[in-house]
Amino acid sequence: QPVPAKDHVRSLLDYIKPALEHHNDWDTVNQQVNDILTHGNSAQRQRQIYQETGCYKAVVDYLIAQGATTLAVA
C-alpha cells in the first residue's frame, strides 16, 4: 500500500530507534531527519532559492553562508 515518503521515513526511524539509542545516536539522527523532512534537503532549498530569485549568484551566496555556519559550529 503506497504511503507518503515522510510517513515511511518516520516508521523507519521508529523501527531503528532502539539501535540508535543504544549507540547514543538517536537525538542527532532524529533531529537531522526531522530538519530535512520539515525544511527539505540542500538541493531542494537551492532549487527554491533559484525559483524565487532566478539568480545563480543567490544560490552560491546561500551555499557560502551555509558553509560558514557549518564551520562556525564545528
Side-chain angles (χ1 to χ4, degrees):
Q1 190 74 305
V3 296
K6 288 182 179 185
D7 293 346
H8 194 62
V9 168
R10 287 194 173 104
S11 293
L12 176 60
L13 272 182
D14 289 341
Y15 178 74
I16 63 173
K17 182 178 180 178
L20 292 170
E21 288 177 327
H22 178 76
H23 294 284
N24 297 317
D25 291 327
W26 169 250
D27 290 337
T28 301
V29 171
N30 186 49
Q31 178 184 357
Q32 290 177 352
V33 169
N34 283 322
D35 285 349
I36 291 169
L37 292 177
T38 302
H39 304 291
N41 63 30
S42 181
Q44 290 168 318
R45 290 189 299 272
Q46 291 170 47
R47 284 192 299 270
Q48 180 181 355
I49 291 166
Y50 182 76
Q51 288 173 350
E52 290 172 358
T53 65
C55 176
Y56 290 115
K57 183 182 181 309
V59 176
V60 173
D61 290 344
Y62 165 78
L63 292 171
I64 291 169
Q66 290 300 303
T69 301
T70 302
L71 290 174
V73 172

